[in-house]
Amino acid sequence: MSLFQHERDGNAQQIIQALHNSDSAEVRKRAAEILGRMDEHEDRGDIITALVRAVQEDESDTVVATAVDALDELGQEALEELITSMADLDIGDDAADWAKAKAFVRALNADLPELRMAAANAIGELEVPDAVPKVVERFDDPDPRVRARAARACRQIGDARATEPLTGLLGDPKAAVRVEAAEALGRIGNRQALQALLQLYDDGDERVRRIAVRGFGQFRNDNPVTYLAEALTDESAPVRRTAVFSLIELLSNVPTEQSHQIRETVVEELSESEDNSVIDPLVEILDAGTKAAQRRNTAWLLGRVMESDEHREGVDALVETLESGGKMTKQFAATSLAEVGGTYTEEQLLELATDDNQDSDARAQAVFTLGKIGNEDTAEEIERLLDRTDDEQVRQRAFSALSKLGGHAQTGQG
């Protein structure tokens, strides 16, 4: 029976026999790969033991490397058994994480790169900060896979001591290493780490650019605004979308006293970027966002990048925000709709204002906005609304709107 059939039938013991007894290195390699995928098998203990034995005894470097990868796939427990066995250590299940980390630190210097990779993985899972100095030593490893795994371990640990060494990895010739280093710096998120990410906005690899741009949203100043504006014209759609999300996150994070200045800088940088690459993600945030600050900033920014109501999805999203947003978010949406103006915007606002099923605040905001963008025909519609509504809030806003539009209603509000 073939290994494929044994895998299909879940015959772990037969696959283990092939790993130990086959004369073909290719068959043993294939057996190790299959065993690494049998994570939930009832013979999991036998599988781990067999793979550890293969690492220690097999004559083929390829089989050994595959067995290490298979143990890595099986998780922390499997890696612990491998490394403690090779280091001839007796670490029980109840051993402290720092004790386990010491064993993995030793394995960081193993001759086999796959074993160094596995050790870095295990240290990352343990999240022991004291292991960071030894992990960053592997940033000079000749194997880029080890460098990448070491950077990933630093991301998982999140210790600031790795910031400077990680910054050095941003110039690594391998994109996979730069990706992991950028992810780690974004996780650490201190000033030095975030500043280091700025240099990656134009990296040659799309994944690196996207990770860097995502980190720009964590700033609490306007340093990344110019870079975010550049990212909005990136050839990669995912990078452009990430830049929009980061802009909103940035506006939500900056201190109140800096907010106005940064908003002005954002608008200035985006003045020539009015297209769907900016508007569509903003609409998505407004429709699906759950954080009030993000929705407010999105509603505000949407009104500054839409020069007309030709982008109907944007208008619809802002009107929907008038219906369902919090009080301040509704005010931001109303201000943006006033900025956009246009016939379609008026039509949607009139529909909301005259809908008796909507709450008073939403209808009143719609009427208030119509007072800023409407015309004589709009004034007539508002006068008709006055004749038939008893909602005092809507009536007050209607009188105010008519005074701006030159309407004819001159009666009192009571």
Side-chain angles (χ1 to χ4, degrees):
M1 187 179 292
S2 68
L3 285 176
F4 173 79
Q5 290 171 307
H6 284 311
E7 179 180 17
R8 183 189 61 189
D9 296 339
N11 297 329
Q13 295 300 329
Q14 284 80 1
I15 299 171
I16 289 172
Q17 288 298 316
L19 175 64
H20 290 327
N21 300 327
S22 175
D23 292 332
S24 168
E26 184 59 35
V27 170
R28 300 196 304 275
K29 175 178 177 292
R30 174 68 176 151
E33 290 175 345
I34 293 172
L35 291 172
R37 294 196 291 266
M38 303 180 80
D39 183 31
E40 298 182 0
H41 197 281
E42 61 182 7
D43 292 338
R44 174 182 168 84
D46 290 343
I47 291 171
I48 293 173
T49 300
L51 288 167
V52 170
R53 175 182 166 189
V55 172
Q56 294 176 316
E57 298 180 0
D58 202 283
E59 297 177 352
S60 166
D61 290 343
T62 302
V63 174
V64 171
T66 304
V68 172
D69 286 339
L71 287 162
D72 198 2
E73 289 292 324
L74 292 173
Q76 188 78 0
E77 173 196 352
L79 287 178
E80 289 178 9
E81 184 167 333
L82 168 65
I83 292 174
T84 55
S85 175
M86 294 190 70
D88 195 24
L89 296 172
D90 183 16
I91 298 180
D93 294 336
D94 58 347
D97 285 348
W98 65 265
K100 296 177 181 179
K102 288 183 67 175
F104 293 130
V105 164
R106 294 184 192 179
L108 286 173
N109 296 313
D111 292 336
L112 190 68
E114 286 78 12
L115 193 51
R116 300 197 298 274
M117 291 163 57
N121 280 357
I123 291 170
E125 290 292 333
L126 289 173
E127 299 183 11
V128 176
D130 287 345
V132 166
K134 291 297 183 182
V135 173
V136 299
E137 289 180 5
R138 300 280 23 115
F139 288 180
D140 293 326
D141 197 282
D143 192 308
R145 298 173 302 166
V146 178
R147 299 197 299 273
R149 298 294 180 91
R152 184 185 304 175
C154 288
R155 171 177 62 81
Q156 292 171 293
I157 296 170
D159 191 287
R161 286 176 292 178
T163 303
E164 187 171 347
L166 284 166
T167 300
L169 276 188
L170 296 179
D172 196 279
K174 293 293 184 179
V177 178
R178 300 198 302 276
V179 165
E180 295 291 352
E183 287 274 23
L185 289 167
R187 161 72 189 280
I188 291 171
N190 60 24
R191 183 178 300 179
Q192 182 183 358
L194 295 176
Q195 195 68 28
L197 291 178
L198 291 177
Q199 65 182 284
L200 298 179
Y201 81 98
D202 62 349
D203 190 273
D205 189 274
E206 173 191 324
R207 296 168 300 167
V208 178
R209 297 198 303 277
R210 181 165 51 83
I211 291 166
V213 169
R214 187 176 67 209
F216 294 170
Q218 299 181 58
F219 276 77
R220 296 178 62 83
N221 54 52
D222 63 356
N223 287 358
V225 172
T226 301
Y227 301 98
L228 283 169
E230 288 284 341
L232 289 170
T233 63
D234 196 279
E235 63 184 17
S236 163
V239 173
R240 296 196 300 270
R241 288 172 57 82
T242 302
V244 175
F245 281 84
S246 286
L247 271 175
I248 297 301
E249 190 71 19
L250 176 67
L251 290 173
S252 302
N253 285 337
V254 295
T256 304
E257 61 272 16
Q258 297 181 31
S259 177
H260 178 73
Q261 176 188 344
I262 293 178
R263 286 176 188 276
E264 293 303 316
T265 304
V266 167
V267 171
E268 182 180 348
E269 292 288 352
L270 298 185
S271 59
E272 298 181 0
S273 300
E274 189 259 330
D275 57 32
N276 288 338
S277 69
V278 177
I279 294 173
D280 288 348
L282 288 174
V283 170
E284 182 180 338
I285 297 171
L286 201 54
D287 285 342
T290 57
K291 296 180 179 179
Q294 289 180 346
R295 296 196 74 208
R296 287 197 300 270
N297 286 312
T298 302
W300 175 84
L301 186 56
L302 195 52
R304 274 69 186 172
V305 298
M306 289 172 55
E307 294 183 353
S308 74
D309 62 353
E310 292 181 4
H311 295 281
R312 294 191 171 189
E313 296 85 356
V315 173
D316 292 342
L318 288 167
V319 173
E320 172 65 27
T321 302
L322 280 186
E323 299 174 7
S324 61
K327 185 173 182 179
M328 287 187 63
T329 305
K330 287 180 178 180
Q331 292 173 358
F332 276 74
T335 301
S336 284
L337 286 165
E339 287 278 343
V340 175
T343 302
Y344 181 75
T345 301
E346 289 183 47
E347 291 173 353
Q348 300 309 303
L349 287 170
L350 273 171
E351 183 176 331
L352 172 57
T354 56
D355 186 350
D356 294 334
N357 294 320
Q358 294 292 340
D359 69 71
S360 295
D361 192 44
R363 296 174 65 200
Q365 286 283 4
V367 174
F368 173 78
T369 308
L370 285 167
K372 294 185 174 184
I373 66 173
N375 52 30
E376 290 183 5
D377 292 337
T378 308
E380 292 178 4
E381 292 287 349
I382 294 176
E383 286 184 337
R384 281 193 283 272
L385 174 62
L386 261 177
D387 290 339
R388 69 178 184 81
T389 185
D390 295 324
D391 188 304
E392 188 61 28
Q393 187 176 3
V394 173
R395 288 179 64 83
Q396 289 176 354
R397 292 289 188 163
F399 278 105
S400 175
L402 286 171
S403 69
K404 296 174 182 177
L405 295 173
H408 303 297
Q410 300 297 323
T411 58
Q413 300 181 29

